[in-house]
């Protein structure tokens, strides 16, 4: 377990947030993740690391939804979004593609990444 992971677990415990740990290598699709999460109940999500002229964004949505970047742009009254490059992901969140998670925000010591989570996630049990 890494020092960063220990900090995350301590945070979750301190906040009395229930969690399950599923250790697996980086995955790039829901299909690849399926073999590691059988027999677990949770909202299935995907995480997208985006950028625009205003900055960087980590967006978490349900795995079966397609992100409408134009609508997101309109809702935030900001400029057009694009996917950030792997080098930017490493620089801002200290990770590689396939390992993107909201927990990576712990690595954003400068608080430069805006986190956006789809409200539909909270409609799941």
């Amino acid at each position: 377990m890494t020092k960063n992971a220990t900090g995350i677990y301590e945070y979750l415990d301190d906040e009395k947030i229930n969690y399950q740990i599923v250790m697996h290598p980086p995955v790039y699709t829901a299909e690849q993740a399926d073999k590691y999460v059988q027999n677990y109940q949770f909202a299935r999500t995907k995480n997208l690391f985006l950028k625009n002229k205003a900055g960087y964004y980590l967006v978490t949505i349900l795995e079966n939804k397609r992100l409408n970047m134009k609508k997101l742009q309109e809702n935030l009254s900001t400029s057009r979004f694009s996917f950030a490059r792997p080098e930017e992901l490493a620089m801002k969140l200290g990770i590689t593609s396939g390992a993107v998670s909201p927990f990576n925000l712990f690595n954003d010591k400068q608080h430069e990444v805006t986190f956006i989570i789809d409200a539909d996630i909270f409609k799941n049990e």
Side-chain angles (χ1 to χ4, degrees):
M1 183 177 345
T2 66
K3 181 180 177 187
N4 190 39
T6 301
I8 291 169
Y9 301 144
E10 288 173 359
Y11 173 82
L12 293 171
D13 290 338
D14 290 346
E15 296 297 319
K16 297 182 179 21
I17 298 171
N18 294 325
Y19 60 92
Q20 299 175 55
I21 300 170
V22 179
M23 303 299 276
H24 62 81
V27 294
Y28 301 94
T29 67
E31 291 77 26
Q32 290 175 344
D34 283 344
K35 65 182 175 183
Y36 302 107
V37 295
Q38 294 175 7
N39 303 319
Y40 289 92
Q41 288 292 91
F42 55 90
R44 306 253 336 207
T45 62
K46 58 185 171 186
N47 301 289
L48 308 169
F49 191 59
L50 307 175
K51 68 177 183 175
N52 67 11
K53 291 179 183 176
Y56 292 90
Y57 301 80
L58 176 59
V59 180
T60 299
I61 61 175
L62 289 170
E63 77 169 357
N64 59 352
K65 286 185 81 172
R66 180 172 163 83
L67 178 63
N68 183 333
M69 288 201 268
K70 186 166 179 70
K71 185 167 183 155
L72 180 62
Q73 171 190 342
E74 291 169 3
N75 288 342
L76 297 177
S77 299
T78 190
S79 60
R80 185 178 66 84
F81 286 98
S82 64
F83 287 95
R85 295 187 321 272
E87 304 82 44
E88 294 169 303
L89 181 58
M91 181 179 66
K92 297 297 180 187
L93 296 179
I95 56 164
T96 60
S97 296
V100 181
S101 160
F103 292 119
N104 302 135
L105 294 168
F106 281 93
N107 298 333
D108 180 21
K109 302 296 184 204
Q110 305 302 316
H111 305 287
E112 297 175 317
V113 178
T114 300
F115 180 51
I116 300 170
I117 187 166
D118 182 7
D120 287 345
I121 292 171
F122 299 105
K123 295 176 183 173
N124 287 280
E125 289 187 23

